Amino acid sequence: MCILFFVATANPSRNGYKLILAANRDEAYARPALPASAWTDTHPHVFGGRDMEPGREGGTWLALGSKNGVTKIGALLNITGEKRNPNALGRGPIVSNYVSGNLSNRKYSEQLVEQHEIYNSFNLVSIEFDDSSASILHTSNAPPGIEEFPGGEILGFGNSPHTIPLRKVLHGKEKFRQVVKSAGRENLVRELMEFLKDDEKHWPDAELSRRAPNWAEKLSSVCVKMPAEGYGSRTRTVILIDAQNRMDFHEETMVGTDPDGEWKHTHIQQQL
């Protein structure tokens, strides 16, 4: 499971941000991955972590690409509890192909919907900026469809259809809103990272119980921590893009398999 919160606008104030994004990646602690970096070996204009699971190498859950005056952000969230096809393609390239390619998020999403049966269930959130506009799309194959969202709104997505949000997504949106409103520039990253550590359970949750009956209560917090099962929120990401197109990409990710052990902090600054 994963969770994502952000606000995006094409025309922020002089001291404001085009993008404020906070996300947790929930995954098996032992699943190998590379920390966030520029993809200098394949696409140097792309930044993000990469999956290194054998057979899934190079896929990603969250990445940003910027070239030719266009900045793309893609985030993938699986939909829990849907029927799985063991022969389906891995979903990691959904984001990789979008942020590294030349298709707009609208064209790319239309292509995904046309081919929706080749993947297991997913939510793709794509954000695209050019010099004067922002396009925010949610694309899914469960059910297949594309929905556009206006800029300037606090948005949150999790591991259910966006029309049936989990309680932790609803709670998280409000807490994210409070942090964005009250934190000053110097404290924004720190407070967003603290927000992503929130382990308060939002329980009971009928939708989560229906989708994940065995683990539902343990999955009901923004930060999932299940050491006995070897699973939880193993990567925290905050991305800021200011009005001058300066990006700050912050990532905290587990070094080993103990959520109370060592974490690696990565900070990438880039003029987009």
Side-chain angles (χ1 to χ4, degrees):
M1 301 187 81
C2 298
I3 200 163
L4 169 73
F5 305 97
F6 67 91
V7 57
T9 179
N11 299 296
S13 65
R14 180 179 177 82
N15 295 319
Y17 292 99
K18 289 187 173 182
L19 177 72
I20 303 174
L21 180 149
N24 273 340
R25 180 198 184 200
D26 298 346
E27 184 52 86
Y29 293 147
R31 183 162 179 157
L34 295 177
S37 67
W39 296 3
T40 53
D41 56 333
T42 55
H43 303 287
H45 66 286
V46 175
F47 305 86
R50 283 186 281 185
D51 191 6
M52 295 303 291
E53 179 77 5
R56 298 287 190 264
E57 297 94 339
T60 188
W61 55 97
L62 172 64
L64 178 150
S66 185
K67 67 176 182 179
N68 300 327
V70 176
T71 297
K72 301 177 175 181
I73 301 94
L76 184 73
L77 305 99
N78 299 341
I79 303 180
T80 302
E82 298 290 323
K83 184 177 179 180
R84 292 180 59 84
N85 174 6
N87 299 315
L89 297 179
R91 290 166 286 196
I94 291 175
V95 170
S96 302
N97 292 340
Y98 166 59
V99 297
S100 64
N102 296 319
L103 291 180
S104 69
N105 61 347
R106 173 63 66 176
K107 291 291 186 182
Y108 187 79
S109 294
E110 290 171 351
Q111 188 177 87
L112 273 181
V113 170
E114 289 175 1
Q115 302 173 345
H116 69 273
E117 294 180 346
I118 67 176
Y119 300 106
N120 282 318
S121 57
F122 67 84
N123 291 319
L124 171 67
V125 178
S126 58
I127 310 164
E128 192 160 309
F129 295 102
D130 60 22
D131 290 338
S132 59
S133 64
S135 173
I136 303 167
L137 299 181
H138 172 275
T139 307
S140 182
N141 63 349
I146 303 168
E147 183 164 346
E148 185 168 6
F149 289 84
E153 293 187 0
I154 299 291
L155 298 173
F157 299 92
N159 298 105
S160 64
H162 78 88
T163 54
I164 316 173
L166 303 179
R167 284 191 61 202
K168 66 178 183 178
V169 173
L170 296 175
H171 166 84
K173 280 177 62 176
E174 292 311 307
K175 194 163 185 179
F176 178 81
R177 186 191 312 276
Q178 293 170 16
V179 173
V180 169
K181 181 178 180 180
S182 63
R185 292 178 69 95
E186 293 183 358
N187 298 321
L188 183 57
V189 172
R190 179 181 59 81
E191 293 196 24
L192 287 173
M193 284 295 186
E194 286 301 312
F195 157 64
L196 291 172
K197 299 176 187 177
D198 183 4
D199 61 1
E200 178 185 357
K201 289 182 169 59
H202 302 285
W203 186 255
D205 185 329
E207 180 66 12
L208 185 53
S209 294
R210 186 178 72 82
R211 292 187 170 275
N214 296 328
W215 289 7
E217 185 173 359
K218 293 181 178 181
L219 294 170
S220 64
S221 52
V222 169
C223 178
V224 174
K225 194 173 182 180
M226 300 169 57
E229 293 82 1
Y231 182 89
S233 301
R234 53 165 292 175
T235 302
R236 301 184 282 264
T237 305
V238 172
I239 302 175
L240 306 177
I241 302 175
D242 70 12
Q244 288 73 45
N245 284 322
R246 289 188 294 261
M247 176 194 75
D248 283 276
F249 192 125
H250 292 265
E251 179 188 271
E252 294 180 354
T253 193
M254 287 172 55
V255 173
T257 58
D258 179 3
D260 293 322
E262 183 182 358
W263 287 67
K264 175 182 174 62
H265 179 250
T266 299
H267 178 201
I268 304 167
Q269 291 182 304
Q270 181 74 23
Q271 180 67 48
L272 303 177

